[in-house]
């Protein structure tokens, strides 16, 4: 069973397991499949830099190691500035404790975001309690230094959790109003047709 987020609103707890909306689930997708002459599906692989090893798909990954070459998990890393000060605090995962829904956001504030992920929630009681309001809260899926602003919004299509970062969208406009004068089209001189019998 998927892990649930717990939302606390007006003294009541509501639980719901978030389901991430994937673009391919909405719009579909296509795959290009390579086969050999017998119709068997071909697999992809990589060659090691010295061409001595064949590495199958999924055999390579990126990671971080310490000075002794030991593997480090992302949750164990902390960001520091050049002067040695911790840049971002490690935040707990939003799954670890109930999310207090206290701060309401306007539609404009909701739209001024660059969305990183969208999750669908299924809980009729929570949707009724949210109503037409938009609630804003701090959201971190895995915890650590990576966190976003979370917005809980109820729509005719269901209840959704949007996770993103606020962006500044400057107003683009003319410095001052101007009037464009209508210019008269130049009159083209009429050219008499040539009569070749004149030559």
């Amino acid at each position: 069973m998927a892990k649930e987020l717990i939302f606390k609103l007006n003294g009541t707890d509501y639980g719901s397991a978030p389901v991430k909306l994937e673009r391919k689930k909405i719009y579909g997708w296509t795959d290009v499949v390579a086969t050999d002459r017998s119709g068997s599906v071909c697999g992809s692989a990589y060659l090691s830099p010295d061409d001595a090893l064949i590495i199958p798909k999924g055999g390579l990954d990126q990671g971080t190691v310490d000075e002794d070459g030991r593997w480090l998990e992302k949750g164990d890393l902390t960001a520091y500035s050049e002067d040695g000060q911790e840049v971002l605090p490690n935040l707990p995962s939003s799954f670890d404790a109930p999310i207090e829904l206290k701060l309401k956001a306007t539609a404009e504030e909701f739209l001024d975001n660059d969305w990183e992920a969208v999750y669908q929630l299924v809980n009729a009681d929570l949707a009724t309690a949210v109503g037409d309001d938009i609630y804003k809260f701090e959201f971190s899926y895995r915890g650590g230094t990576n966190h976003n602003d979370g917005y809980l919004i109820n729509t005719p299509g269901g209840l959704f959790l949007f996770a993103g970062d606020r962006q500044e969208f400057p107003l683009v406009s003319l410095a001052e109003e101007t009037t464009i004068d209508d210019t008269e089209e130049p009159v083209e001189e009429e050219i008499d047709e040539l009569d070749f019998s004149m030559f």
Side-chain angles (χ1 to χ4, degrees):
M1 183 176 179
K3 198 171 182 181
E4 289 189 341
L5 288 170
I6 305 298
F7 296 94
K8 184 180 288 293
L9 179 59
N10 299 326
T12 304
D13 290 352
Y14 303 92
S16 182
V19 178
K20 188 174 183 179
L21 294 184
E22 302 287 351
R23 182 180 297 271
K24 66 180 183 180
K25 292 181 180 178
I26 299 173
Y27 300 108
W29 71 95
T30 59
D31 284 330
V32 177
V33 179
T35 59
D36 60 16
R37 293 179 180 178
S38 64
S40 299
V41 178
C42 298
S44 59
Y46 306 92
L47 283 176
S48 61
D50 56 0
D51 297 336
L53 297 174
I54 297 177
I55 305 170
K57 184 178 180 181
L60 294 177
D61 199 0
Q62 292 183 346
T64 305
V65 295
D66 62 13
E67 295 177 352
D68 298 326
R70 292 175 295 191
W71 185 269
L72 293 175
E73 298 292 340
K74 287 186 178 180
D76 298 332
L77 302 177
T78 304
Y80 289 91
S81 62
E82 293 180 358
D83 57 358
Q85 298 296 321
E86 188 173 344
V87 177
L88 295 172
N90 283 323
L91 298 176
S93 169
S94 295
F95 289 93
D96 294 342
I99 299 171
E100 292 273 358
L101 298 178
K102 295 180 179 179
L103 183 62
K104 294 182 181 180
T106 64
E108 182 177 355
E109 185 180 1
F110 169 75
L111 294 172
D112 286 346
N113 284 272
D114 180 21
W115 302 120
E116 187 173 302
V118 181
Y119 303 90
Q120 186 173 19
L121 304 171
V122 179
N123 187 314
D125 294 333
L126 177 57
T128 302
V130 170
D132 295 329
D133 295 322
I134 303 173
Y135 286 93
K136 179 182 177 181
F137 51 92
E138 200 168 65
F139 179 75
S140 179
Y141 193 90
R142 293 182 178 84
T145 58
N146 186 21
H147 63 279
N148 303 105
D149 289 329
Y151 292 84
L152 191 64
I153 181 171
N154 188 28
T155 73
L159 186 65
F160 295 93
L161 188 162
F162 285 75
D165 298 308
R166 181 172 174 79
Q167 302 294 318
E168 295 296 334
F169 295 100
L171 178 63
V172 178
S173 62
L174 295 174
E176 59 184 48
E177 294 184 1
T178 59
T179 302
I180 300 177
D181 295 330
D182 293 333
T183 57
E184 296 182 0
E185 296 182 0
V187 180
E188 296 182 1
E189 295 182 3
E190 295 184 1
I191 300 176
D192 295 335
E193 295 183 1
L194 294 176
D195 185 0
F196 289 97
S197 64
M198 297 171 58
F199 298 102

